[in-house]
Amino acid sequence: MKIEGSVVLVTGANRGLGAAYARAALAAGARKVYAAARDPASVALEGVVPIALDVTDAAQVAAAARECADVTLLINNAGISRGAGLLDASAGFDEARAEFETNFFGPWAMTRAFAPVLKANGGGAVVNVLSALSWLSLPGAASYSASKAAAWSLSNGLRNELRAQGTQVTSVHVAFMDTDMARKIPGDKISPDEVARQTLAAVEAGAPEVLADATTRSVKQGLVADPPVYAAAR
Ligand SMILES: NC(=O)c1ccc[n+]([C@@H]2O[C@H](COP(=O)([O-])OP(=O)(O)OC[C@H]3O[C@@H](n4cnc5c(N)ncnc54)[C@H](OP(=O)(O)O)[C@@H]3O)[C@@H](O)[C@H]2O)c1
């Protein structure tokens, strides 16, 4: 599909990669960009339509699908990482549940709500922002990794189920990106603007997947290595 003339909704559009998607969509000639955020007053970009949307709030998801009935490209970008370990019993499951609510059930609920909208508007596309950690578990981010692995499977299932109505699904895998989420992590990080550029190009090409950086490409290749990349010591 063409970005020019499209109507885009980006979740978590107030900062980080979400803000980069909103900027890139406007620059590529989108007819309208809904910049969805938990606090719409935090959307600083001119030229977008800010809307209030917490992706874990069923009523707000339903309202967004009703009110943004012209959407042709849904970008499920919102995500959280709480840094929970797997074996610390004192941590409970609250942090992991929050990650799954936002990173897995959020995009699922959004796509389910917007599927009829996309169908009515000719098919369009869904982008799901995943991670290199969909394929690899990182110490300190193991439950986040699990949520992104589940979201990868979700993305593949949605692609199957949306095919009949002509809606394409593009999964975006990226390692570390220069945003608030990775602020404390040292080393090279890809810029969110570059990830947004690659994503919109993939949507235009009808590609199922973006492997945004060298680390992500090497992780994916490592799935078939012996030993596989996810079994190596970290
Ligand atoms: N940064 C990385 O290294 C990296 C790597 C791989 C993948 N990713 C993924 O990239 C995506 C964007 O993350 P980022 O790096 O831009 O992180 P970020 O700077 O922390 O931004 C996260 C965004 O998600 C929003 N958000 C969180 N929970 C939400 C909810 N329940 N409903 C609606 N919006 C919510 C935040 O809104 P508030 O301002 O209201 O908190 C914020 O706009 C995420 O899916 C993340 O998992 C990031």
Side-chain angles (χ1 to χ4, degrees):
M1 71 171 282
K2 295 292 291 176
I3 305 302
E4 188 175 2
S6 66
V7 177
V8 184
L9 188 149
V10 185
T11 66
N14 53 321
R15 60 192 174 97
L17 180 59
Y21 277 135
R23 283 193 300 274
L26 281 182
R31 184 158 58 82
K32 196 191 286 183
V33 176
Y34 293 107
R38 290 192 281 199
D39 175 9
S42 64
V43 174
L45 183 63
E46 285 197 11
V48 298
V49 181
I51 63 161
L53 177 63
D54 181 327
V55 299
T56 68
D57 183 322
Q60 287 193 6
V61 169
R66 268 195 318 274
E67 286 158 23
C68 309
D70 49 357
V71 166
T72 60
L73 171 57
L74 168 65
I75 302 185
N76 287 314
N77 162 78
I80 57 169
S81 177
R82 292 279 174 83
L86 297 180
L87 299 181
D88 176 8
S90 70
F93 290 106
D94 289 354
E95 305 291 14
R97 284 191 209 283
E99 288 169 332
F100 270 78
E101 286 297 336
T102 307
N103 302 345
F104 176 69
F105 288 106
W108 187 358
M110 283 296 291
T111 308
R112 195 183 262 184
F114 275 88
V117 171
L118 296 169
K119 182 179 184 185
N121 296 329
V126 175
V127 167
N128 290 323
V129 178
L130 306 177
S131 175
L133 298 181
S134 298
W135 297 315
L136 187 69
S137 186
L138 200 65
S143 56
Y144 170 83
S145 304
S147 75
K148 289 294 187 181
W152 179 49
S153 184
L154 171 75
S155 209
N156 296 332
L158 291 172
R159 185 179 299 109
N160 290 338
E161 294 197 22
L162 289 169
R163 190 170 288 120
Q165 68 172 50
T167 302
Q168 65 189 55
V169 174
T170 300
S171 303
V172 177
H173 297 268
V174 55
F176 293 123
M177 210 173 17
D178 194 8
T179 65
D180 293 341
M181 187 179 279
R183 178 140 305 186
K184 292 183 183 150
I185 295 162
D188 283 349
K189 297 170 209 167
I190 191 170
S191 83
D193 290 317
E194 171 57 17
V195 176
R197 187 196 66 73
Q198 290 187 35
T199 302
L200 297 191
V203 169
E204 291 214 327
E209 186 166 274
V210 173
L211 305 176
D213 51 19
T215 303
T216 301
R217 289 189 286 276
S218 124
V219 167
K220 193 180 178 202
Q221 271 189 340
L223 292 175
V224 293
D226 186 14
V229 65
Y230 48 80
R234 279 170 212 290

